[in-house]
Amino acid sequence: MTPSGIARRRFFVGAAGAGAALGLGGGGAAAQPARGAGGLPDYVAWKDAEDLIVHTPRTIEMKRSAFGSSGITPDTDLFVRNNLPPPDARILEDRDGWEVSVEGVRNPRRVALRELKAMGVESVAAVLQCSGNGRAFFDHKASGTQWRVGAAGNVMWSGVPLRAVAEAMGGVADGMRFITARGGEDIPQGIDPRTVMVERSVPIAAMDRALLAWELNDDPVPLAHGGPLRLVLPGFFGVNNVKYVKRLAFTAEESDAAIQRTGYRVRPVGQRGAPSQPSMWEMTVKSWVTQPLRETADGPVQILGVAFGGARPLRRVEVSTDGGSNWQEARLLGPDLGRYAWRPFALAAELSPGTHLVASRATDEEGNSQPEKMEPNERGYGHNGWRDHAVEITVR
Amino acid sequence: KDAASGREVFTEAAAPACSICHALAAAGASGEIGPSLDALKPSADQVRRAVTEGPGNMPSYADSLSDAQIEAVAKFVAESAGG
């Protein structure tokens, strides 16, 4: 998938980035990560700057115009959202030596990546999407990155099934109800780690599809995407797919880290986050048009987009060229990559001169369709309303 | 006066202090956990919202800071970061 030239280029860029990161660590005043060509921070300097929007050094969105119709998002275009600064790139120097502490099993212990690779391997195509993707479409100005559609991608992961890891360690201990994963980022002195650390819990039922992944789109997982080892939970929002996973525990209770207790909780506008509110776990059905986006000549046009069912398989996607008055079922393109992947879609249309509001509306296997309007929530999570995702096209 | 007390909230009164995680030259802060406020240049309203809501892995200070303290730190950050 990746030409060897690009792989080599990435290696050299990565090596240069590691040196720059070392320089940064020493100087307290140098809080801004160095930026390379195209305005990209060093740790993602290998990405395609033309296809990306840099909101901050750790929140980088893919442009809507960059989505293609082949189904897989290249890692050079894949969005980045890190809640904490990524660890030093030196952790990639000995990928196989990366250790994760496995707890809440009958025989808990630390296990190295090289041993995980021998326990089993599976691959999965899955949509990776930030909880706040679409936040910019809400009117209530929720704080956080103003993502539109590009905090999402459809990628291939390879790794060991979590159930194989648990089996190798005697099975899950009695009474455990959650999978709890902690990232390997450094937490500064002077702060209770639970305040800012990335530790997320999901229901243990996700065990049937969870992977500890070391490959992304046929390459070792880059630092920006959680390499050397990332917990992958197909169908779950991005934040649960913990990067640089250092502790993987089966637990009776959810993590008491703030990011789990009060962060990523869905609540009405104006309310504080609390453990009683729904957590940003499984994704819902969603789609958006990717082409055309602004102007096109009159006559025949292929309206393109992507659609996915979230945690459930996709059943169909419809397209409207008149703002939702009339809908036509679109054709799903390419192979079905499984229930957690997205499908590009196409609808052949004839557009007359004038303006057209082009919308898409996906439906999952259980019959759930995207709503026209998404009810606002305090943090601007999970927007899948079709009207806000529609594009206005001018036909000459 | 507001700016002075806003700086105090930023570096001391807030727990954890804003300066542990954020860079802001006017406060002599070089935290690298959260985004640099010198680069982000947030408006007072954006600071107020972030401090109250707690976006991402940032804690909410709605229960630990008074409205006056939140107002002061919002003004201080917006004015000193030039947002």
Side-chain angles (χ1 to χ4, degrees):
Chain A
M1 178 165 285
T2 304
S4 62
I6 292 179
R8 269 199 305 278
R9 183 158 56 93
R10 178 184 305 170
F11 171 77
F12 287 119
V13 168
L22 283 178
L24 266 182
Q32 284 307 296
R35 293 195 181 203
L40 295 175
D42 269 357
Y43 77 111
V44 287
W46 49 272
K47 283 185 177 274
D48 187 346
E50 296 271 303
D51 287 352
L52 299 169
I53 304 160
V54 180
H55 292 284
T56 74
R58 297 203 300 272
T59 51
I60 300 169
E61 174 169 5
M62 183 175 171
K63 289 179 185 170
R64 190 171 192 154
S65 56
F67 290 96
S69 52
S70 304
I72 293 290
T73 308
D75 47 4
T76 47
D77 280 3
L78 185 62
F79 80 102
V80 177
R81 198 282 182 253
N82 271 37
N83 268 302
L84 291 171
D88 193 288
R90 281 176 298 186
I91 67 169
L92 300 185
E93 285 171 10
D94 177 19
R95 287 174 177 270
D96 282 352
W98 178 263
E99 287 192 339
V100 54
S101 172
V102 181
E103 302 166 25
V105 288
R106 295 213 168 75
N107 306 309
R109 64 182 172 91
R110 299 179 70 78
V111 58
L113 177 47
R114 72 171 57 79
E115 190 182 347
L116 290 173
K117 286 179 173 175
M119 284 179 185
V121 61
E122 281 181 12
S123 66
V124 65
V127 174
L128 185 68
Q129 181 185 212
C130 181
S131 304
N133 196 32
R135 177 178 291 132
F137 298 129
F138 286 108
D139 293 329
H140 66 288
K141 297 181 178 170
S143 63
T145 302
Q146 298 302 301
W147 308 106
R148 296 178 74 82
V149 298
N154 187 51
V155 294
M156 296 290 305
W157 300 101
S158 293
V160 61
L162 194 51
R163 59 181 186 280
V165 178
E167 276 166 27
M169 299 191 176
V172 175
D174 291 338
M176 300 309 179
R177 299 185 300 139
F178 298 95
I179 300 166
T180 297
R182 184 186 300 170
E185 297 96 339
D186 292 329
I187 309 287
Q189 297 288 314
I191 191 168
D192 178 347
R194 289 173 302 178
T195 312
V196 295
M197 74 177 175
V198 177
E199 184 173 88
R200 289 285 300 175
S201 302
V202 300
I204 201 165
M207 176 96 135
D208 63 354
R209 50 181 132 146
L211 297 183
L212 285 172
W214 52 79
E215 259 183 44
L216 165 64
N217 288 345
D218 232 29
D219 281 323
V221 182
L223 188 73
H225 297 301
L229 191 67
R230 182 170 191 175
L231 174 64
V232 169
L233 292 164
F236 281 74
F237 280 103
V239 68
N240 303 289
N241 297 254
V242 171
K243 299 175 176 181
Y244 332 106
V245 61
K246 270 313 250 186
R247 174 181 183 253
L248 192 292
F250 299 97
T251 55
E253 305 297 334
E254 294 183 36
S255 168
D256 62 357
I259 198 172
Q260 179 78 22
R261 282 181 51 78
T262 56
Y264 292 88
R265 296 281 175 176
V266 183
R267 70 267 193 183
V269 174
Q271 280 192 17
R272 318 251 168 94
S276 58
Q277 300 152 350
S279 197
M280 288 304 288
W281 282 337
E282 287 191 331
M283 296 189 288
T284 52
V285 63
K286 189 166 178 176
S287 69
W288 55 86
V289 168
T290 59
Q291 194 182 302
L293 295 180
R294 281 191 191 85
E295 292 189 4
T296 185
D298 73 334
V301 61
Q302 293 287 341
I303 296 169
L304 304 176
V306 294
F308 55 103
R312 286 152 288 274
L314 176 72
R315 179 186 288 170
R316 67 165 181 272
V317 58
E318 303 155 288
V319 168
S320 171
T321 58
D322 57 9
S325 298
N326 296 283
W327 296 90
Q328 280 181 275
E329 189 160 343
R331 197 162 52 88
L332 298 178
L333 305 180
D336 181 348
L337 295 173
R339 62 183 291 158
Y340 302 114
W342 73 31
R343 285 293 282 277
F345 63 81
L347 180 77
E350 286 271 349
L351 296 180
S352 54
T355 59
H356 299 262
L357 191 65
V358 178
S360 63
R361 180 176 67 184
T363 302
D364 70 21
E365 272 300 340
E366 292 176 9
N368 306 298
S369 292
Q370 290 179 252
E372 178 176 357
K373 289 281 183 188
M374 174 71 185
E375 192 71 26
N377 63 87
E378 172 74 352
R379 296 289 311 113
Y381 288 141
H383 198 324
N384 70 339
W386 61 257
R387 185 167 289 282
D388 284 341
H389 285 78
V391 291
E392 193 172 84
I393 294 165
T394 304
V395 178
R396 297 178 303 278
Chain B
K1 185 170 178 290
D2 273 354
S5 62
R7 189 181 200 278
E8 197 179 286
V9 173
F10 193 92
T11 57
E12 289 172 39
C18 314
S19 51
I20 292 175
C21 291
H22 293 282
L24 181 64
S30 56
E32 296 182 21
I33 287 290
S36 160
L37 299 172
D38 291 315
L40 208 59
K41 301 189 192 308
S43 67
D45 189 52
Q46 285 173 312
V47 179
R48 201 180 296 119
R49 283 171 178 277
V51 168
T52 309
E53 288 176 37
N57 64 331
M58 175 175 163
S60 162
Y61 292 80
D63 293 326
S64 59
L65 291 176
S66 69
D67 288 352
Q69 284 175 311
I70 291 174
E71 201 52 39
V73 79
K75 273 189 182 169
F76 167 67
V77 171
E79 284 168 15
S80 54

